[in-house]
Amino acid sequence: MNKGKLFVISGPSGAGKSTVIGRLIKQINNVYFSVSATTREPRRGEREGKDYFFVSRECFEKMIKENKLLEYAQYVGNYYGTPAEAVDKKLNEGFDVVLDIETKGAAQVMERRPDAIGIFLFPGSYEILRQRLMLRSTESPESIEKRMQQAYVECSKAEMYKYIIINDRVETAVDEVIAIITAEK
Ligand code: 5GP
C-alpha cells in the first residue's frame, strides 16, 4: 500500500484555516486531520480530541521530554504540538494527513520531513483578519492584538511554503486546497 502524503497548512489566526480544513475533510476521502495538543483553554464549542487535546503545561512538557511530538511551538503564551505517533500511523495506513500549525512548527516539520507539502493561507486583508478575530467573540482585546502582531510575522514567512492561497472566498479556497492535494497525489 502506498504511504499517504503530509500536508502542512499555515496562515495567521483568523485566516480561515479551520473552516477550510473542516470543509475539505468532508469533501474528499482518505484525509486525516491531525489533532494537536495545546495548553490553551478550550473555546466555546471546541471538543476534546476533535479540535484539540487540551492538556496542562506539565503534561505538555512531559510529551516534549519523551519525544512524543513531531513539532511544537509556543504561540501567544501557550504550547501547541503535533502528536507524532498518530501522524505516522495514518501515513503508513495510506491516509493523507493535514496539519494546521503555525510557522515555527511548520519549519520544524519541513526540516524533518522534506517531502511534506506546505500550503499558506492568507486572509483577504489584515482588516478582514481583525474583523474575523473580533467576530469570534472568544478572544480578549489583548489576545486579538497579540494575534494581529503574530499575523504580520507569520505572513512574512509565506515564502517557505510551496503554495500560497488567498482566502477571500472560502468555497474557492477549499477548491484550491483540494486541487493541490489531488495534484500532489
Ligand atoms: P488557535 O489558538 O487559534 O486554535 O491556534 C493558534 C495557532 O496555533 C494557529 O496558527 C494554529 O495553526 C497553531 N497550531 C495549532 N496546532 C498546532 C500545533 O500542533 N503545532 C503548532 N506549531 N502550531 C499549532
Side-chain angles (χ1 to χ4, degrees):
M1 189 202 289
N2 284 338
K3 267 187 81 167
K5 285 194 180 287
L6 183 58
F7 293 90
V8 178
I9 303 188
S10 299
S13 176
K17 282 168 297 176
S18 313
T19 310
V20 167
I21 293 171
R23 293 202 190 182
L24 88 88
I25 55 177
K26 284 201 187 120
Q27 288 185 34
I28 49 176
N29 293 326
N30 219 44
V31 176
Y32 169 77
F33 170 65
S34 157
V35 180
S36 297
T38 183
T39 59
R40 112 158 138 63
E41 290 294 314
R43 288 190 195 118
R44 207 176 319 124
E46 282 184 332
R47 281 160 300 170
E48 167 71 19
K50 184 134 201 325
D51 299 290
Y52 280 107
F53 297 108
F54 296 99
V55 302
S56 64
R57 271 192 107 74
E58 195 186 16
C59 175
F60 199 100
E61 283 167 357
K62 191 162 174 266
M63 287 193 281
I64 298 174
K65 268 200 204 119
E66 292 175 353
N67 228 358
K68 296 238 162 91
L69 300 172
L70 171 60
E71 60 72 38
Y72 71 93
Q74 297 222 31
Y75 177 93
V76 188
N78 282 299
Y79 278 124
Y80 293 81
T82 304
E85 200 180 311
V87 169
D88 285 326
K89 182 169 176 282
K90 289 293 174 183
L91 288 174
N92 287 330
E93 285 171 4
F95 286 91
D96 299 312
V97 175
V98 172
L99 310 183
D100 166 353
I101 62 177
E102 53 67 70
T103 48
K104 285 176 284 184
Q108 295 168 43
V109 175
M110 290 183 197
E111 182 155 349
R112 285 189 173 182
R113 308 280 170 101
D115 54 337
I117 299 136
I119 304 173
F120 191 90
L121 214 60
F122 263 108
S125 71
Y126 287 112
E127 211 30 60
I128 293 173
L129 196 64
R130 184 182 292 278
Q131 280 166 15
R132 286 217 193 115
L133 288 172
M134 282 160 63
L135 278 174
R136 242 186 215 172
S137 75
T138 44
E139 249 33 273
S140 66
E142 196 199 352
S143 166
I144 291 175
E145 277 323 306
K146 285 190 182 154
R147 281 166 187 262
M148 285 304 295
Q149 283 166 21
Q150 264 320 111
Y152 295 112
V153 176
E154 295 212 273
C155 287
S156 73
K157 305 272 165 58
E159 276 182 28
M160 192 170 95
Y161 295 77
K162 182 166 179 188
Y163 297 97
I164 294 178
I165 290 179
I166 298 178
N167 183 16
D168 47 10
R169 190 171 164 270
V170 72
E171 291 79 9
T172 313
V174 174
D175 287 346
E176 286 172 345
V177 177
I178 292 175
I180 290 169
I181 294 177
T182 310
E184 287 288 346
K185 283 166 64 96

